[in-house]
Amino acid sequence: MTRLAIIDYGSGNVRSVQRALEAAANAHEIRLDIVLTDDPDRIRQADRIVLPGVGHFADCAAGLANRQGVTEALNEAVFRSKRPFLGICVGMQLMADVGREDVETPGLGWIPGAVERLTPKDAKLPVPHMGWNVLTDLTSHPVLSGLGPDPHVYFVHSYALKPEHRDHIAARCDYGGKFVAAVARDNLFGTQFHPEKSQKAGQTLLANFLRWKP
Amino acid sequence: MLKVRVIPCLDVKDGRTVKGVNFVDLRDAGDPVALARAYDAQGADELCFLDITASHEKRATMIDVVERTADACFMPLTVGGGVRTPDDMVAMLKAGADKVAINTAAVLDPDIIRACARKVGSQAVVMAMDVRREGDGWVVYTHGGRNSSGKDAVAFARQIVDLGAGEILLTSMDRDGTKDGYDIPLLRAIRDVVSVPLIASGGAGNVQHMADAVLKGGADAVLAASIFHFGEATIADAKAALAAAGAPVRPTVDA
């Protein structure tokens, strides 16, 4: 039985993430015990950790910081004990050193780099970038396996993570220029898109994450 | 490249779908969750639920429908009908909606859009505009198309986007239910003044109409009800027509 903790810190639709993970687990006969939690002890006990996030970088960062011991527990479980971790949308952005949405806010500092506003070359392209788009430049990372040649996934965001190191980029996407759609480093994986809203491609990715042994 | 979205729309009253639905192999065509599952399997890019329940007190029924749909369908979900305040939006988002459409309340008091965008972010705020042609222009209607607000649709669209609406769901009352095709000049007029995504609604009679809405009208998404509900066209048919016309679509096999 895999114990999976979804960090519930007042941001984002934890329910959608939970249901999508449960469906992916059922479809692949993975025994999964999910807890929604902001309790540092339960975070430390989890085998896998998912950090969702919707909205404003600074709000989400404050949501984590205001919960006593959560950042420390994440650092311990994820960064030191190397438990598989998945950050989704702002949950992925929080893996960076710093966010630059309106104000400069420190992130968890796991992926060197900054979160900056999308600037499509075609000024007619609206920001937020919202809808179905194609992943490009996919690496052979296990979490991205089986997605097929041009996987479509669902995005809703105005900012994107720019990693300092090229080898932390797992996939890109084109929206008036390329931006980073997924990051990976050791036991860490992050998606700018929403696998929990990406139908079959999303289900495949979530099942990959649940089986991933970094 | 971002893909054009094909969006089936379900009218829901007291937790049941209205406007007859004629789906093959569906035991209960009145169950919005069962229909949502069917469209999910067909490869719809997004689902839209419009709650036409008359009384505000029955809103809990709609929340339950949204929750059960979000539990079963892992795709974007837009919900509208009877939304009056930022807190109404929050309740729908918590239930599992990704976007919430607002109509009458925002026509009567556009500043509500600003309050909603502050609370949930522009990306979740959809302005549902019901408009009718009057003279040389178009006028915005409220209360499900029953009352004229007297407001010019083009000026109103500009105003609510400035206030923070993240998307416009544009329904032509003149075309709704006619199957004569979307109102292309209306789409064009709104497209020319706003940069946010524009959803064409009202008048879809065949899949070519959908391609016209995108290629000629400049729509980013096409919404339809009866053409899909009665099986006159599948989501795959719509996407094939869009692709043949040169519009970028997400293949249904990816769903």
Side-chain angles (χ1 to χ4, degrees), chain B residues 1-4 210-211 214-215 239-250:
Chain B
M1 184 192 266
L2 202 58
K3 301 304 160 82
V4 166
M210 296 181 179
V214 173
L215 276 296
K239 291 194 177 187
L242 285 162
V249 293
R250 182 179 69 117

Side-chain angles (χ1 to χ4, degrees), chain A residues 32-46:
Chain A
L32 190 62
D33 176 22
I34 297 182
V35 290
L36 305 178
T37 186
D38 63 353
D39 173 1
D41 288 334
R42 301 193 82 169
I43 294 170
R44 283 192 193 88
Q45 289 157 5

Side-chain angles (χ1 to χ4, degrees), chain A residues 148-161:
Chain A
D150 291 310
H152 286 72
V153 290
Y154 188 73
F155 289 90
V156 185
H157 63 125
S158 299
Y159 289 75
L161 203 169

Side-chain angles (χ1 to χ4, degrees), chain A residues 95-192:
Chain A
M95 297 160 78
D97 290 325
V98 63
R100 300 211 171 102
E101 183 165 359
D102 300 333
V103 290
E104 205 152 290
T105 313
L108 292 162
W110 297 341
I111 302 278
V115 177
E116 296 185 7
R117 191 168 172 85
L118 290 173
T119 50
K121 283 190 205 93
D122 179 352
K124 279 186 187 160
L125 289 175
V127 174
H129 168 226
M130 181 169 69
W132 293 91
N133 207 331
V134 181
L135 294 180
T136 66
D137 310 289
L138 275 83
T139 58
S140 57
H141 197 285
V143 174
L144 296 174
S145 72
L147 293 182
D150 291 310
H152 286 72
V153 290
Y154 188 73
F155 289 90
V156 185
H157 63 125
S158 299
Y159 289 75
L161 203 169
K162 284 188 179 167
E164 278 171 24
H165 305 299
R166 184 182 285 265
D167 54 358
H168 290 163
I169 299 173
R172 291 188 175 85
C173 176
D174 187 1
Y175 186 62
K178 296 269 181 86
F179 67 88
V180 173
V183 293
R185 177 186 180 186
D186 305 326
N187 57 314
L188 310 173
F189 200 87
T191 65
Q192 182 58 68

